[in-house]
Amino acid sequence: MKKSIILLLCCLVTMAVQAAKVKESEARNKAQHFLAMSIAAMTAAGIPFDVYNLKRQLVRRQTTSTQGLSAGYYVINQRVVFITGKI
């Protein structure tokens, strides 16, 4: 009886670890996909993103547009981009 309970618990733990690995892999794939997308494609698709200045300070959280940002360099989606000015 005890052996079967231990075996069942081991199976449940193994399944939980495998499920976590799959979720982590899916999240990594999504992140890589979004990194490959251009900012224009993200704004057109309405995908939210964070905007940071070069000091890594958050300028906008979960925005879908760069409208209203002053001209300058920003970090968007782990890329340094230049915004031409207020649109």
Side-chain angles (χ1 to χ4, degrees):
M1 177 85 172
K2 288 182 182 180
K3 286 184 180 180
S4 62
I5 292 174
I6 291 173
L7 182 62
L8 178 63
L9 288 174
C10 288
C11 289
L12 290 174
V13 168
T14 303
M15 289 171 53
V17 168
Q18 289 175 345
K21 286 181 181 179
V22 167
K23 286 182 182 179
E24 180 183 342
S25 176
E26 289 173 355
R28 191 177 316 117
N29 288 341
K30 273 186 177 180
Q32 289 173 348
H33 174 72
F34 289 138
L35 280 174
M37 292 182 76
S38 71
I39 303 305
M42 289 175 63
T43 57
I47 298 171
F49 51 89
D50 293 335
V51 180
Y52 296 86
N53 62 18
L54 293 181
K55 294 179 182 179
R56 298 289 181 175
Q57 297 169 327
L58 184 64
V59 177
R60 290 204 184 150
R61 179 181 301 273
Q62 296 298 298
T63 185
T64 55
S65 172
T66 58
Q67 289 183 346
L69 290 173
S70 300
Y73 290 95
Y74 296 92
V75 178
I76 299 175
N77 224 23
Q78 299 179 355
R79 293 183 181 171
V80 177
V81 295
F82 182 76
I83 303 297
T84 56
K86 294 184 179 181
I87 300 173

